[in-house]
Amino acid sequence: MTRTARFVATCASAAVLLATAACADGTDPSASSSGGAIDENAPVTITVGNKPKPDKPADVAAFERNVKKFTDAHPNITIKSTETSWDAQTFQAQVAGGSLPTVMSISFTEPLNMIPNKQLPDITDELKLVDMTKDLNPETLKLVQDDKGRIYGVPFEAFSVGLAYNRALFKQAGLDPDKPPTTWDEVRQYAKQITEKTGKAGYAQLTKDNTGGWMLTTMTYSMGGKVQSDDGKKSTFNDAPTKKALQLLKDMRWTDNTMGTQFLYNQEEARQDFAAGKIGMIMQAPDAYDMTVKNFGMKPADFGEGALPQDGGPFGTLTGGSIKMINPKSSKNEIVAALKWIKSQEFDKYTSEALAVQDAKNQIADKGFVGRPGVTPLSQATYDQYNKWREPYNNVPVQQFQGYIESTKTLKLLPEPSNKAQEVYALLDPVVQQVLTKKDADIDKLLTDAAAKIDARLAR
């Protein structure tokens, strides 16, 4: 069983799922559900989001190369690009303002709220027409389906949270860099040793821009709790697991003094300090390797990734990821063109050895990474074969992720809250911040107040 086993254990061919969803009502996939036929050869222009910013010239070059390759293969499709990308703080305003590109990436947390609000188009028939990959994971497809099985987006990238740690600081502290902590008690012990021996923060926590609530949710999962009821109508975090997580943070901050002096971190800021050797351990998905090494100059030999620590478990870890959404104002021809773009950029490489190998070579040429462990929304067999094709080109020290890889055999992957996740996270940010910045912070009161605010949002 490989690193994706837990995620894709229930995976079956999505071709059946797509065909069933597309044809259940007798519709013809070449015709619009609202009337009108699709002409795949008609000239069409789409705007593609997520273009890399100019300060990353290699990424921009790779993006532009991909656009040219695509338009050469599809001469009737014109691609315009924009740097528009998903941001929890601004996304809904962009949706309301109608300023989104034809296609862009968004978080797993968005579609379950957007679908009932008709902020995403039904793309079920167009998916069948374009013949998207045959083995998409039905479990991830649920994130973009309504109660009738109609599909409103394309999950293409998934992650699970583990514990990133600085192997150099481990060595300096007399800890074995090949044996990261697997329980929260061990995290506390390791953090003490790192701070005592190196003077650095033994452990750090994300706390702002919705990441505080996000990582508090992750800790809650690892302690056997939840933050929201299964139906998404009520908060459930005002109980023992979340209180224990906050008490641990409070003890590490105020009793042990092992969390340094910076307590307001978003993801990028934390990764920068982690890369600089200021942080011993922090909850991160394996993709933190890319930014810490490529953007912030961390030595590859210093990056380690272990399992998400558990408390009394194994209980599980948070999983999330990205979905390609299409602007609801798009015409049927634009939807088809957008899906062809998604397929070419995100999925074709998994089913073609030539494309898999060429993608690996391109990543290396662009100073990117090959072989970094992760989670896939595809079937295990497809992903395993893809990795086998690319293995000769691996330039990531895969063995330094062994703790994380092994954990995927035992830890359940638990989805983010189903209802208004980003709002929940935003309202939990101040809870984590106050625990770390106010010595007399009352955890019970903070959670009670937060639950009242969140329950009011969930009831809307």
Side-chain angles (χ1 to χ4, degrees), residues 28 42 52 58 62 70 100 165 197 247 252 302 307 336 419 428 448 451:
D28 179 350
F70 177 82
L100 297 176
Y165 62 98
K197 300 290 186 180
Q247 187 61 53
M252 292 173 71
D302 291 347
V336 170
N419 188 16
L428 286 173
T448 298

Side-chain angles (χ1 to χ4, degrees), residues 25 32 37 66 69 89 93 103 158 205 252 277 282 329 353 357 359 373-374 394 406 426 438 440 446 457:
D25 58 1
S32 165
N66 289 343
K69 181 179 178 182
Q89 310 299 321
V103 57
Q205 186 84 355
M252 292 173 71
I282 186 168
K329 296 180 180 179
E353 181 175 4
V357 170
D359 180 72
N394 284 356
E406 290 299 317
K438 295 184 178 180
D440 61 350
L446 287 171
R457 298 286 184 95

